[in-house]
Amino acid sequence: MNTYIIEFIKKTTGNSEEGSLVFIESNKHVDFEIKRVYYTYSARNGIIRGFHAHKRLEQVLICVYGKIEVTCDDGKEKKTFILDDPSKGLYIGSGIWRTMKWLKDDSVLLVLASDYYNEEDYIRDYDTFLKYIK
Ligand code: T46
């Protein structure tokens, strides 16, 4: 399945109370040019979003606050990832059905996308998705 975890470079000072800094550069820390950034927030624990796949879009999902479970499905197998570390991202390639479940109130999902928003690139019906990937 065309999904994997990316570990970003994390900068910390000697003082843990000062926190950490993560930076992400196009074509360097992610394998595509970042054309769009969006984020989802203010969702309650238990909420599930997604239920779609993309024909061409590649994305990296980062839970910058809280805890989110992401399930990826390529029509043959399903993989579940827990995102709860802002220094890690989940790459999701094209042709993957995904759901994102909030495991903590107000978790924030930051997404880096390889292209501009285009509703034509979405497959929002599961049976259509299964036919598309065959
Ligand atoms: C994805 C997951 C991880 C826009 O107008 N522009 C945008 O850039 C985006 C991302 C969405 N929208 C509109 C489309 C819908 O009317 O915002 C509304 C909510 O989008 P959606 O229901 O698709 O949101 P999620 O959280 O289910 O999915 C989003 C992305 O759409 C999707 O590409 O992979 O996050």
Side-chain angles (χ1 to χ4, degrees):
M1 189 183 295
N2 196 11
T3 58
Y4 53 84
I5 293 287
I6 303 170
E7 289 196 31
F8 299 117
I9 297 168
K10 182 168 70 174
K11 296 282 183 181
T12 50
T13 64
N15 180 353
S16 61
E17 290 183 2
E18 290 179 3
S20 303
L21 181 149
V22 170
F23 56 95
I24 302 164
E25 296 178 3
S26 273
N27 295 312
K28 208 165 165 186
H29 307 113
V30 297
D31 286 335
F32 53 80
E33 185 187 351
I34 300 165
K35 288 195 176 164
R36 179 168 50 110
V37 175
Y38 61 90
Y39 44 91
T40 314
Y41 63 102
S42 288
R44 310 308 289 171
N45 183 18
I47 288 294
I48 307 179
R49 299 182 62 108
F51 300 102
H52 58 253
H54 284 282
K55 295 173 191 166
R56 282 176 296 279
L57 191 72
E58 300 172 85
Q59 301 192 104
V60 172
L61 279 55
I62 305 159
C63 179
V64 290
Y65 171 77
K67 191 171 183 180
I68 297 172
E69 177 188 88
V70 182
T71 300
C72 297
D73 173 357
D74 68 359
K76 293 188 190 116
E77 60 167 332
K78 289 183 186 178
K79 278 189 186 172
T80 296
F81 301 86
I82 300 292
L83 303 185
D84 59 0
D85 181 344
S87 72
K88 291 182 184 166
L90 173 64
Y91 170 84
I92 305 182
S94 58
I96 308 274
W97 187 266
R98 83 285 315 268
T99 55
M100 303 82 70
K101 182 176 183 182
W102 262 241
L103 298 183
K104 183 177 177 180
D105 285 349
D106 297 323
S107 298
V108 180
L109 185 65
L110 176 75
V111 182
L112 314 175
S114 65
D115 212 343
Y116 305 115
Y117 174 70
N118 175 12
E119 189 58 38
E120 297 287 300
D121 190 65
Y122 283 75
I123 305 170
R124 292 190 183 271
D125 174 75
Y126 191 69
D127 289 336
T128 306
F129 163 68
L130 291 178
K131 283 181 198 142
Y132 179 82
I133 51 164
K134 268 188 187 163

